[in-house]
mmCIF file with all atom_site columns, all heavy atoms in Angstrom:
data_model
loop_
_atom_site.group_PDB
_atom_site.id
_atom_site.type_symbol
_atom_site.label_atom_id
_atom_site.label_alt_id
_atom_site.label_comp_id
_atom_site.label_asym_id
_atom_site.label_entity_id
_atom_site.label_seq_id
_atom_site.pdbx_PDB_ins_code
_atom_site.Cartn_x
_atom_site.Cartn_y
_atom_site.Cartn_z
_atom_site.occupancy
_atom_site.B_iso_or_equiv
_atom_site.pdbx_formal_charge
_atom_site.auth_seq_id
_atom_site.auth_comp_id
_atom_site.auth_asym_id
_atom_site.auth_atom_id
_atom_site.pdbx_PDB_model_num
ATOM 1   N N   . TYR V 1 1  ? -28.794 54.374 -17.139 1.00 96.00 ? 242 TYR V N   1
ATOM 2   C CA  . TYR V 1 1  ? -27.677 54.028 -18.019 1.00 96.00 ? 242 TYR V CA  1
ATOM 3   C C   . TYR V 1 1  ? -28.015 52.719 -18.733 1.00 96.00 ? 242 TYR V C   1
ATOM 4   O O   . TYR V 1 1  ? -28.082 51.669 -18.096 1.00 96.00 ? 242 TYR V O   1
ATOM 5   C CB  . TYR V 1 1  ? -26.395 53.844 -17.214 1.00 96.00 ? 242 TYR V CB  1
ATOM 6   C CG  . TYR V 1 1  ? -25.882 55.080 -16.531 1.00 96.00 ? 242 TYR V CG  1
ATOM 7   C CD1 . TYR V 1 1  ? -26.435 55.508 -15.326 1.00 96.00 ? 242 TYR V CD1 1
ATOM 8   C CD2 . TYR V 1 1  ? -24.837 55.819 -17.067 1.00 96.00 ? 242 TYR V CD2 1
ATOM 9   C CE1 . TYR V 1 1  ? -25.955 56.635 -14.681 1.00 96.00 ? 242 TYR V CE1 1
ATOM 10  C CE2 . TYR V 1 1  ? -24.346 56.951 -16.434 1.00 96.00 ? 242 TYR V CE2 1
ATOM 11  C CZ  . TYR V 1 1  ? -24.913 57.357 -15.241 1.00 96.00 ? 242 TYR V CZ  1
ATOM 12  O OH  . TYR V 1 1  ? -24.440 58.482 -14.604 1.00 96.00 ? 242 TYR V OH  1
ATOM 13  N N   . PRO V 1 2  ? -28.205 52.715 -20.056 1.00 96.00 ? 243 PRO V N   1
ATOM 14  C CA  . PRO V 1 2  ? -28.649 51.501 -20.746 1.00 96.00 ? 243 PRO V CA  1
ATOM 15  C C   . PRO V 1 2  ? -27.546 50.473 -20.987 1.00 96.00 ? 243 PRO V C   1
ATOM 16  O O   . PRO V 1 2  ? -27.844 49.288 -21.171 1.00 96.00 ? 243 PRO V O   1
ATOM 17  C CB  . PRO V 1 2  ? -29.184 52.035 -22.076 1.00 96.00 ? 243 PRO V CB  1
ATOM 18  C CG  . PRO V 1 2  ? -28.421 53.291 -22.305 1.00 96.00 ? 243 PRO V CG  1
ATOM 19  C CD  . PRO V 1 2  ? -28.190 53.890 -20.950 1.00 96.00 ? 243 PRO V CD  1
ATOM 20  N N   . LEU V 1 3  ? -26.269 50.881 -20.997 1.00 94.00 ? 244 LEU V N   1
ATOM 21  C CA  . LEU V 1 3  ? -25.199 49.962 -21.362 1.00 94.00 ? 244 LEU V CA  1
ATOM 22  C C   . LEU V 1 3  ? -24.605 49.265 -20.136 1.00 94.00 ? 244 LEU V C   1
ATOM 23  O O   . LEU V 1 3  ? -24.779 49.714 -18.996 1.00 94.00 ? 244 LEU V O   1
ATOM 24  C CB  . LEU V 1 3  ? -24.092 50.714 -22.107 1.00 94.00 ? 244 LEU V CB  1
ATOM 25  C CG  . LEU V 1 3  ? -24.487 51.405 -23.409 1.00 94.00 ? 244 LEU V CG  1
ATOM 26  C CD1 . LEU V 1 3  ? -23.273 52.023 -24.077 1.00 94.00 ? 244 LEU V CD1 1
ATOM 27  C CD2 . LEU V 1 3  ? -25.199 50.448 -24.358 1.00 94.00 ? 244 LEU V CD2 1
ATOM 28  N N   . ASP V 1 4  ? -23.898 48.192 -20.401 1.00 90.00 ? 245 ASP V N   1
ATOM 29  C CA  . ASP V 1 4  ? -23.216 47.464 -19.342 1.00 90.00 ? 245 ASP V CA  1
ATOM 30  C C   . ASP V 1 4  ? -22.092 48.324 -18.762 1.00 90.00 ? 245 ASP V C   1
ATOM 31  O O   . ASP V 1 4  ? -21.475 49.133 -19.479 1.00 90.00 ? 245 ASP V O   1
ATOM 32  C CB  . ASP V 1 4  ? -22.656 46.153 -19.903 1.00 90.00 ? 245 ASP V CB  1
ATOM 33  C CG  . ASP V 1 4  ? -22.062 45.281 -18.809 1.00 90.00 ? 245 ASP V CG  1
ATOM 34  O OD1 . ASP V 1 4  ? -22.834 44.548 -18.164 1.00 90.00 ? 245 ASP V OD1 1
ATOM 35  O OD2 . ASP V 1 4  ? -20.832 45.355 -18.616 1.00 90.00 ? 245 ASP V OD2 1
ATOM 36  N N   . GLU V 1 5  ? -21.799 48.142 -17.477 1.00 85.00 ? 246 GLU V N   1
ATOM 37  C CA  . GLU V 1 5  ? -20.816 48.982 -16.802 1.00 85.00 ? 246 GLU V CA  1
ATOM 38  C C   . GLU V 1 5  ? -19.410 48.789 -17.323 1.00 85.00 ? 246 GLU V C   1
ATOM 39  O O   . GLU V 1 5  ? -18.515 49.608 -17.044 1.00 85.00 ? 246 GLU V O   1
ATOM 40  C CB  . GLU V 1 5  ? -20.852 48.707 -15.301 1.00 85.00 ? 246 GLU V CB  1
ATOM 41  C CG  . GLU V 1 5  ? -20.538 47.271 -14.924 1.00 85.00 ? 246 GLU V CG  1
ATOM 42  C CD  . GLU V 1 5  ? -20.680 47.026 -13.438 1.00 85.00 ? 246 GLU V CD  1
ATOM 43  O OE1 . GLU V 1 5  ? -20.765 48.015 -12.690 1.00 85.00 ? 246 GLU V OE1 1
ATOM 44  O OE2 . GLU V 1 5  ? -20.704 45.849 -13.037 1.00 85.00 ? 246 GLU V OE2 1
ATOM 45  N N   . THR V 1 6  ? -19.147 47.719 -18.078 1.00 86.00 ? 247 THR V N   1
ATOM 46  C CA  . THR V 1 6  ? -17.807 47.499 -18.627 1.00 86.00 ? 247 THR V CA  1
ATOM 47  C C   . THR V 1 6  ? -17.519 48.386 -19.838 1.00 86.00 ? 247 THR V C   1
ATOM 48  O O   . THR V 1 6  ? -16.368 48.490 -20.261 1.00 86.00 ? 247 THR V O   1
ATOM 49  C CB  . THR V 1 6  ? -17.633 46.032 -19.034 1.00 86.00 ? 247 THR V CB  1
ATOM 50  O OG1 . THR V 1 6  ? -18.629 45.679 -20.005 1.00 86.00 ? 247 THR V OG1 1
ATOM 51  C CG2 . THR V 1 6  ? -17.756 45.114 -17.820 1.00 86.00 ? 247 THR V CG2 1
ATOM 52  N N   . CYS V 1 7  ? -18.549 49.007 -20.417 1.00 91.00 ? 248 CYS V N   1
ATOM 53  C CA  . CYS V 1 7  ? -18.360 49.890 -21.567 1.00 91.00 ? 248 CYS V CA  1
ATOM 54  C C   . CYS V 1 7  ? -17.667 51.184 -21.128 1.00 91.00 ? 248 CYS V C   1
ATOM 55  O O   . CYS V 1 7  ? -18.034 51.785 -20.120 1.00 91.00 ? 248 CYS V O   1
ATOM 56  C CB  . CYS V 1 7  ? -19.690 50.217 -22.223 1.00 91.00 ? 248 CYS V CB  1
ATOM 57  S SG  . CYS V 1 7  ? -20.543 48.793 -22.924 1.00 91.00 ? 248 CYS V SG  1
ATOM 58  N N   . MET V 1 8  ? -16.691 51.616 -21.904 1.00 93.00 ? 249 MET V N   1
ATOM 59  C CA  . MET V 1 8  ? -15.957 52.835 -21.557 1.00 93.00 ? 249 MET V CA  1
ATOM 60  C C   . MET V 1 8  ? -16.766 54.091 -21.843 1.00 93.00 ? 249 MET V C   1
ATOM 61  O O   . MET V 1 8  ? -16.491 55.152 -21.282 1.00 93.00 ? 249 MET V O   1
ATOM 62  C CB  . MET V 1 8  ? -14.627 52.872 -22.314 1.00 93.00 ? 249 MET V CB  1
ATOM 63  C CG  . MET V 1 8  ? -13.660 51.779 -21.899 1.00 93.00 ? 249 MET V CG  1
ATOM 64  S SD  . MET V 1 8  ? -12.112 51.815 -22.837 1.00 93.00 ? 249 MET V SD  1
ATOM 65  C CE  . MET V 1 8  ? -11.502 53.451 -22.453 1.00 93.00 ? 249 MET V CE  1
ATOM 66  N N   . VAL V 1 9  ? -17.752 53.998 -22.712 1.00 95.00 ? 250 VAL V N   1
ATOM 67  C CA  . VAL V 1 9  ? -18.656 55.120 -23.001 1.00 95.00 ? 250 VAL V CA  1
ATOM 68  C C   . VAL V 1 9  ? -20.016 54.802 -22.398 1.00 95.00 ? 250 VAL V C   1
ATOM 69  O O   . VAL V 1 9  ? -20.597 53.752 -22.703 1.00 95.00 ? 250 VAL V O   1
ATOM 70  C CB  . VAL V 1 9  ? -18.783 55.356 -24.522 1.00 95.00 ? 250 VAL V CB  1
ATOM 71  C CG1 . VAL V 1 9  ? -19.772 56.476 -24.801 1.00 95.00 ? 250 VAL V CG1 1
ATOM 72  C CG2 . VAL V 1 9  ? -17.409 55.684 -25.125 1.00 95.00 ? 250 VAL V CG2 1
ATOM 73  N N   . GLN V 1 10 ? -20.506 55.687 -21.537 1.00 95.00 ? 251 GLN V N   1
ATOM 74  C CA  . GLN V 1 10 ? -21.743 55.452 -20.805 1.00 95.00 ? 251 GLN V CA  1
ATOM 75  C C   . GLN V 1 10 ? -22.764 56.559 -21.075 1.00 95.00 ? 251 GLN V C   1
ATOM 76  O O   . GLN V 1 10 ? -22.777 57.589 -20.406 1.00 95.00 ? 251 GLN V O   1
ATOM 77  C CB  . GLN V 1 10 ? -21.453 55.373 -19.300 1.00 95.00 ? 251 GLN V CB  1
ATOM 78  C CG  . GLN V 1 10 ? -20.681 54.143 -18.861 1.00 95.00 ? 251 GLN V CG  1
ATOM 79  C CD  . GLN V 1 10 ? -21.554 52.891 -18.924 1.00 95.00 ? 251 GLN V CD  1
ATOM 80  O OE1 . GLN V 1 10 ? -22.758 52.933 -18.720 1.00 95.00 ? 251 GLN V OE1 1
ATOM 81  N NE2 . GLN V 1 10 ? -20.924 51.754 -19.212 1.00 95.00 ? 251 GLN V NE2 1
ATOM 82  N N   . PRO V 1 11 ? -23.645 56.388 -22.090 1.00 97.00 ? 252 PRO V N   1
ATOM 83  C CA  . PRO V 1 11 ? -24.723 57.357 -22.282 1.00 97.00 ? 252 PRO V CA  1
ATOM 84  C C   . PRO V 1 11 ? -25.804 57.177 -21.220 1.00 97.00 ? 252 PRO V C   1
ATOM 85  O O   . PRO V 1 11 ? -25.938 56.108 -20.619 1.00 97.00 ? 252 PRO V O   1
ATOM 86  C CB  . PRO V 1 11 ? -25.250 57.020 -23.683 1.00 97.00 ? 252 PRO V CB  1
ATOM 87  C CG  . PRO V 1 11 ? -24.952 55.552 -23.829 1.00 97.00 ? 252 PRO V CG  1
ATOM 88  C CD  . PRO V 1 11 ? -23.675 55.300 -23.088 1.00 97.00 ? 252 PRO V CD  1
ATOM 89  N N   . TYR V 1 12 ? -26.586 58.240 -20.997 1.00 97.00 ? 253 TYR V N   1
ATOM 90  C CA  . TYR V 1 12 ? -27.657 58.161 -20.008 1.00 97.00 ? 253 TYR V CA  1
ATOM 91  C C   . TYR V 1 12 ? -28.738 59.196 -20.318 1.00 97.00 ? 253 TYR V C   1
ATOM 92  O O   . TYR V 1 12 ? -28.510 60.165 -21.061 1.00 97.00 ? 253 TYR V O   1
ATOM 93  C CB  . TYR V 1 12 ? -27.118 58.385 -18.591 1.00 97.00 ? 253 TYR V CB  1
ATOM 94  C CG  . TYR V 1 12 ? -26.484 59.741 -18.379 1.00 97.00 ? 253 TYR V CG  1
ATOM 95  C CD1 . TYR V 1 12 ? -27.246 60.878 -18.081 1.00 97.00 ? 253 TYR V CD1 1
ATOM 96  C CD2 . TYR V 1 12 ? -25.107 59.898 -18.470 1.00 97.00 ? 253 TYR V CD2 1
ATOM 97  C CE1 . TYR V 1 12 ? -26.670 62.114 -17.899 1.00 97.00 ? 253 TYR V CE1 1
ATOM 98  C CE2 . TYR V 1 12 ? -24.507 61.131 -18.281 1.00 97.00 ? 253 TYR V CE2 1
ATOM 99  C CZ  . TYR V 1 12 ? -25.298 62.241 -17.996 1.00 97.00 ? 253 TYR V CZ  1
ATOM 100 O OH  . TYR V 1 12 ? -24.707 63.473 -17.821 1.00 97.00 ? 253 TYR V OH  1
ATOM 101 N N   . ILE V 1 13 ? -29.909 58.971 -19.740 1.00 98.00 ? 254 ILE V N   1
ATOM 102 C CA  . ILE V 1 13 ? -30.989 59.954 -19.733 1.00 98.00 ? 254 ILE V CA  1
ATOM 103 C C   . ILE V 1 13 ? -31.475 60.081 -18.295 1.00 98.00 ? 254 ILE V C   1
ATOM 104 O O   . ILE V 1 13 ? -31.290 59.181 -17.473 1.00 98.00 ? 254 ILE V O   1
ATOM 105 C CB  . ILE V 1 13 ? -32.162 59.551 -20.668 1.00 98.00 ? 254 ILE V CB  1
ATOM 106 C CG1 . ILE V 1 13 ? -32.715 58.177 -20.264 1.00 98.00 ? 254 ILE V CG1 1
ATOM 107 C CG2 . ILE V 1 13 ? -31.724 59.566 -22.121 1.00 98.00 ? 254 ILE V CG2 1
ATOM 108 C CD1 . ILE V 1 13 ? -33.965 57.791 -21.032 1.00 98.00 ? 254 ILE V CD1 1
ATOM 109 N N   . GLY V 1 14 ? -32.096 61.205 -17.984 1.00 97.00 ? 255 GLY V N   1
ATOM 110 C CA  . GLY V 1 14 ? -32.572 61.397 -16.618 1.00 97.00 ? 255 GLY V CA  1
ATOM 111 C C   . GLY V 1 14 ? -33.617 62.479 -16.526 1.00 97.00 ? 255 GLY V C   1
ATOM 112 O O   . GLY V 1 14 ? -33.804 63.283 -17.448 1.00 97.00 ? 255 GLY V O   1
ATOM 113 N N   . GLY V 1 15 ? -34.287 62.514 -15.388 1.00 97.00 ? 256 GLY V N   1
ATOM 114 C CA  . GLY V 1 15 ? -35.297 63.534 -15.145 1.00 97.00 ? 256 GLY V CA  1
ATOM 115 C C   . GLY V 1 15 ? -35.552 63.661 -13.654 1.00 97.00 ? 256 GLY V C   1
ATOM 116 O O   . GLY V 1 15 ? -35.249 62.759 -12.874 1.00 97.00 ? 256 GLY V O   1
ATOM 117 N N   . GLY V 1 16 ? -36.104 64.809 -13.260 1.00 98.00 ? 257 GLY V N   1
ATOM 118 C CA  . GLY V 1 16 ? -36.371 65.018 -11.837 1.00 98.00 ? 257 GLY V CA  1
ATOM 119 C C   . GLY V 1 16 ? -36.954 66.392 -11.582 1.00 98.00 ? 257 GLY V C   1
ATOM 120 O O   . GLY V 1 16 ? -37.721 66.929 -12.385 1.00 98.00 ? 257 GLY V O   1
ATOM 121 N N   . ILE V 1 17 ? -36.580 66.988 -10.443 1.00 98.00 ? 258 ILE V N   1
ATOM 122 C CA  . ILE V 1 17 ? -37.121 68.286 -10.029 1.00 98.00 ? 258 ILE V CA  1
ATOM 123 C C   . ILE V 1 17 ? -35.997 69.320 -10.045 1.00 98.00 ? 258 ILE V C   1
ATOM 124 O O   . ILE V 1 17 ? -34.820 68.993 -9.910  1.00 98.00 ? 258 ILE V O   1
ATOM 125 C CB  . ILE V 1 17 ? -37.760 68.226 -8.627  1.00 98.00 ? 258 ILE V CB  1
ATOM 126 C CG1 . ILE V 1 17 ? -36.732 67.790 -7.573  1.00 98.00 ? 258 ILE V CG1 1
ATOM 127 C CG2 . ILE V 1 17 ? -38.950 67.284 -8.635  1.00 98.00 ? 258 ILE V CG2 1
ATOM 128 C CD1 . ILE V 1 17 ? -37.262 67.844 -6.153  1.00 98.00 ? 258 ILE V CD1 1
ATOM 129 N N   . SER V 1 18 ? -36.384 70.582 -10.218 1.00 97.00 ? 259 SER V N   1
ATOM 130 C CA  . SER V 1 18 ? -35.417 71.677 -10.219 1.00 97.00 ? 259 SER V CA  1
ATOM 131 C C   . SER V 1 18 ? -35.913 72.804 -9.323  1.00 97.00 ? 259 SER V C   1
ATOM 132 O O   . SER V 1 18 ? -37.128 73.010 -9.158  1.00 97.00 ? 259 SER V O   1
ATOM 133 C CB  . SER V 1 18 ? -35.190 72.215 -11.640 1.00 97.00 ? 259 SER V CB  1
ATOM 134 O OG  . SER V 1 18 ? -36.370 72.826 -12.144 1.00 97.00 ? 259 SER V OG  1
ATOM 135 N N   . TYR V 1 19 ? -34.958 73.513 -8.746  1.00 96.00 ? 260 TYR V N   1
ATOM 136 C CA  . TYR V 1 19 ? -35.246 74.687 -7.924  1.00 96.00 ? 260 TYR V CA  1
ATOM 137 C C   . TYR V 1 19 ? -34.353 75.819 -8.406  1.00 96.00 ? 260 TYR V C   1
ATOM 138 O O   . TYR V 1 19 ? -33.129 75.677 -8.444  1.00 96.00 ? 260 TYR V O   1
ATOM 139 C CB  . TYR V 1 19 ? -34.979 74.393 -6.451  1.00 96.00 ? 260 TYR V CB  1
ATOM 140 C CG  . TYR V 1 19 ? -35.061 75.612 -5.545  1.00 96.00 ? 260 TYR V CG  1
ATOM 141 C CD1 . TYR V 1 19 ? -36.301 76.108 -5.155  1.00 96.00 ? 260 TYR V CD1 1
ATOM 142 C CD2 . TYR V 1 19 ? -33.905 76.244 -5.101  1.00 96.00 ? 260 TYR V CD2 1
ATOM 143 C CE1 . TYR V 1 19 ? -36.380 77.225 -4.328  1.00 96.00 ? 260 TYR V CE1 1
ATOM 144 C CE2 . TYR V 1 19 ? -33.984 77.356 -4.273  1.00 96.00 ? 260 TYR V CE2 1
ATOM 145 C CZ  . TYR V 1 19 ? -35.219 77.835 -3.889  1.00 96.00 ? 260 TYR V CZ  1
ATOM 146 O OH  . TYR V 1 19 ? -35.304 78.956 -3.078  1.00 96.00 ? 260 TYR V OH  1
ATOM 147 N N   . THR V 1 20 ? -34.961 76.931 -8.820  1.00 94.00 ? 261 THR V N   1
ATOM 148 C CA  . THR V 1 20 ? -34.212 78.074 -9.337  1.00 94.00 ? 261 THR V CA  1
ATOM 149 C C   . THR V 1 20 ? -34.328 79.247 -8.377  1.00 94.00 ? 261 THR V C   1
ATOM 150 O O   . THR V 1 20 ? -35.429 79.710 -8.083  1.00 94.00 ? 261 THR V O   1
ATOM 151 C CB  . THR V 1 20 ? -34.727 78.499 -10.727 1.00 94.00 ? 261 THR V CB  1
ATOM 152 O OG1 . THR V 1 20 ? -34.720 77.375 -11.610 1.00 94.00 ? 261 THR V OG1 1
ATOM 153 C CG2 . THR V 1 20 ? -33.864 79.598 -11.306 1.00 94.00 ? 261 THR V CG2 1
ATOM 154 N N   . ASP V 1 21 ? -33.189 79.729 -7.898  1.00 91.00 ? 262 ASP V N   1
ATOM 155 C CA  . ASP V 1 21 ? -33.126 80.902 -7.036  1.00 91.00 ? 262 ASP V CA  1
ATOM 156 C C   . ASP V 1 21 ? -32.579 82.048 -7.864  1.00 91.00 ? 262 ASP V C   1
ATOM 157 O O   . ASP V 1 21 ? -31.437 82.016 -8.312  1.00 91.00 ? 262 ASP V O   1
ATOM 158 C CB  . ASP V 1 21 ? -32.222 80.612 -5.838  1.00 91.00 ? 262 ASP V CB  1
ATOM 159 C CG  . ASP V 1 21 ? -32.161 81.779 -4.860  1.00 91.00 ? 262 ASP V CG  1
ATOM 160 O OD1 . ASP V 1 21 ? -32.791 82.819 -5.143  1.00 91.00 ? 262 ASP V OD1 1
ATOM 161 O OD2 . ASP V 1 21 ? -31.481 81.657 -3.821  1.00 91.00 ? 262 ASP V OD2 1
ATOM 162 N N   . PHE V 1 22 ? -33.414 83.079 -8.066  1.00 86.00 ? 263 PHE V N   1
ATOM 163 C CA  . PHE V 1 22 ? -33.012 84.188 -8.932  1.00 86.00 ? 263 PHE V CA  1
ATOM 164 C C   . PHE V 1 22 ? -32.209 85.254 -8.208  1.00 86.00 ? 263 PHE V C   1
ATOM 165 O O   . PHE V 1 22 ? -31.846 86.272 -8.796  1.00 86.00 ? 263 PHE V O   1
ATOM 166 C CB  . PHE V 1 22 ? -34.248 84.806 -9.589  1.00 86.00 ? 263 PHE V CB  1
ATOM 167 C CG  . PHE V 1 22 ? -34.873 83.919 -10.624 1.00 86.00 ? 263 PHE V CG  1
ATOM 168 C CD1 . PHE V 1 22 ? -35.950 83.118 -10.306 1.00 86.00 ? 263 PHE V CD1 1
ATOM 169 C CD2 . PHE V 1 22 ? -34.357 83.860 -11.904 1.00 86.00 ? 263 PHE V CD2 1
ATOM 170 C CE1 . PHE V 1 22 ? -36.519 82.280 -11.250 1.00 86.00 ? 263 PHE V CE1 1
ATOM 171 C CE2 . PHE V 1 22 ? -34.918 83.033 -12.865 1.00 86.00 ? 263 PHE V CE2 1
ATOM 172 C CZ  . PHE V 1 22 ? -36.001 82.243 -12.531 1.00 86.00 ? 263 PHE V CZ  1
ATOM 173 N N   . GLY V 1 23 ? -31.927 85.046 -6.936  1.00 72.00 ? 264 GLY V N   1
ATOM 174 C CA  . GLY V 1 23 ? -31.054 85.971 -6.229  1.00 72.00 ? 264 GLY V CA  1
ATOM 175 C C   . GLY V 1 23 ? -31.637 87.372 -6.167  1.00 72.00 ? 264 GLY V C   1
ATOM 176 O O   . GLY V 1 23 ? -32.854 87.581 -6.166  1.00 72.00 ? 264 GLY V O   1
ATOM 177 N N   . GLU V 1 24 ? -30.760 88.348 -6.147  1.00 68.00 ? 265 GLU V N   1
ATOM 178 C CA  . GLU V 1 24 ? -31.165 89.747 -6.055  1.00 68.00 ? 265 GLU V CA  1
ATOM 179 C C   . GLU V 1 24 ? -31.004 90.421 -7.410  1.00 68.00 ? 265 GLU V C   1
ATOM 180 O O   . GLU V 1 24 ? -29.891 90.619 -7.879  1.00 68.00 ? 265 GLU V O   1
ATOM 181 C CB  . GLU V 1 24 ? -30.335 90.471 -4.994  1.00 68.00 ? 265 GLU V CB  1
ATOM 182 C CG  . GLU V 1 24 ? -30.555 89.957 -3.576  1.00 68.00 ? 265 GLU V CG  1
ATOM 183 C CD  . GLU V 1 24 ? -29.755 90.733 -2.560  1.00 68.00 ? 265 GLU V CD  1
ATOM 184 O OE1 . GLU V 1 24 ? -29.042 91.683 -2.982  1.00 68.00 ? 265 GLU V OE1 1
ATOM 185 O OE2 . GLU V 1 24 ? -29.838 90.415 -1.372  1.00 68.00 ? 265 GLU V OE2 1
#
C-alpha cells in the first residue's frame, strides 16, 4: 500500500502463489 494509512482511499498492488483445483 503506497499511501499513508490516514487516506480514505487505499490503492495497492500484490503478487504471490496460486493453487487451482479443477474439481470433477
Side-chain angles (χ1 to χ4, degrees):
Y242 295 80
L244 300 184
D245 186 84
E246 60 184 346
T247 58
C248 296
M249 294 178 59
V250 177
Q251 291 288 328
Y253 61 83
I254 57 173
I258 60 174
S259 66
Y260 172 78
T261 306
D262 183 358
F263 289 97
E265 295 182 1

